[in-house]
Amino acid sequence: ASLEVGTAYLKAGTRMPDRGVSAHPRHEISIILEGEIETTSNGKAVVLGAGDIVSIPAFEPQSSIIRQDTRLIYLFFGNNRQ
């Protein structure tokens, strides 16, 4: 098992991925410090803002649209194998 921790700055108008969905081989937790993101995971869309925490299980199809310039802290953990 491994742990990766980092910060990200995402510009308003960015879509991740550019089209479709992505799925990561590790569990993801993100803590929104400022800004606003609309994230779709497991077919459900939620809008996240400062103070919100999102938890996305490994291999969960997801996509995000950055609605405002956003700063966040992310953690990826678990096996890095598919």
Side-chain angles (χ1 to χ4, degrees):
S2 66
L3 172 66
E4 178 184 342
V5 178
T7 61
Y9 174 75
L10 307 168
K11 294 288 288 175
T14 302
R15 187 184 191 287
M16 301 180 324
D18 292 341
R19 59 172 116 57
V21 297
S22 63
H24 305 290
R26 295 185 286 169
H27 192 101
E28 174 185 349
I29 294 177
S30 292
I31 304 162
I32 311 303
L33 302 176
E34 63 181 61
E36 189 174 88
I37 299 175
E38 181 178 335
T39 295
T40 301
S41 177
N42 199 21
K44 185 174 168 183
V46 294
V47 176
L48 305 166
D52 288 335
I53 298 172
V54 62
S55 175
I56 300 174
F59 301 106
E60 182 74 49
Q62 63 174 316
S63 64
S64 296
I65 297 170
I66 311 309
R67 296 171 80 173
Q68 297 175 3
D69 289 352
T70 298
R71 292 184 193 282
L72 58 81
I73 297 170
Y74 63 84
L75 298 91
F76 288 109
F77 58 93
N79 291 326
N80 196 13
R81 289 185 242 120
Q82 295 191 353

